[in-house]
Amino acid sequence: MDATLRDHALLGLRAVIGGSMAAHGAQKLFGAFGGDGPQDTGKAFEEHMHLEPGEAMARLAGGTELGAGVATALGIGGPLAPTAMAATMTVAALTAHRGKPYFGQKGGPEMPLLYVANGAFFALAGFGRDSIDSRVGLRIPRSVSALHAALAAAATALIVSRAWRAQDNANAASDGAPETEQSPAQLQARGA
């Protein structure tokens, strides 16, 4: 493939992936594009994903998504932004979509995994010549990139393990809870 065509293709992909990720973050942070904003997103984080404190986690996720998306779209910061995008979407895939079938129609991790794959791609392959990094000659040292990737992986593992533990505890508590008295209509609906 011609190098210029390759760089233009990378720019187009960065614009779509980075722009979409930035908008996804803006939904959480500001309620933009039909999003719920930090308070309602935070409630959902606590109730469905067991990420606590919910509002703080929503702001952290939204800020990471917005920043990583903009930086990826512009092609600035080398592998740091795509790695952050991949880490945030890994948390989403392993918490919000845990135990669901693959495809998004059934609530599965299809979309977060596409962001993870694109983040990993740009972190490894770079942004191409049509990027701010290339225009200004910015190169992130491999040691900084490796440290950032290790920290992102550790933070992801910590957040996911805490969420899974909380989900498992909530499930165990609900399994052991005594059944509440139900009305005849509820019993009939259950087939009892």
Side-chain angles (χ1 to χ4, degrees):
M1 177 186 284
D2 175 66
T4 302
L5 181 59
R6 176 187 156 285
D7 290 327
H8 291 342
L10 287 172
L11 173 60
L13 184 59
R14 282 197 342 262
V16 171
I17 296 300
S20 296
M21 177 82 332
H24 193 69
Q27 289 180 309
K28 290 179 180 71
L29 283 178
F30 313 117
F33 309 110
D36 291 330
Q39 291 177 331
D40 289 343
T41 301
K43 288 177 190 171
F45 272 23
E46 287 187 8
E47 292 172 11
H48 304 293
M49 298 166 60
H50 299 276
L51 294 174
E52 297 178 352
E55 187 172 341
M57 294 299 281
R59 289 183 188 279
L60 176 63
T64 302
E65 292 164 359
L66 179 62
V70 169
T72 297
L74 295 174
I76 189 166
L80 303 181
T83 300
M85 176 171 52
T88 303
M89 290 292 100
T90 298
V91 171
L94 295 175
T95 56
H97 306 279
R98 181 182 182 195
K100 297 175 183 165
Y102 175 75
F103 291 105
Q105 295 95 321
K106 303 288 185 183
E110 175 185 10
M111 287 307 297
L113 291 178
L114 289 173
Y115 282 117
V116 170
N118 278 281
F121 170 79
F122 284 117
L124 296 171
F127 293 138
R129 288 183 294 182
D130 292 335
S131 66
I132 291 177
D133 280 358
S134 179
R135 301 287 183 205
V136 300
L138 179 64
R139 291 202 176 275
I140 305 295
R142 288 189 187 265
S143 59
V144 172
S145 298
L147 177 61
H148 181 262
L151 291 173
T156 299
L158 177 65
I159 291 168
V160 169
S161 66
R162 286 184 63 204
W164 282 2
R165 194 173 320 115
Q167 284 176 338
D168 292 344
N169 289 341
N171 290 341
S174 68
D175 288 346
E179 283 196 36
T180 59
E181 192 171 314
Q182 296 179 339
S183 70
Q186 289 172 317
L187 291 171
Q188 183 178 10
R190 285 182 50 210

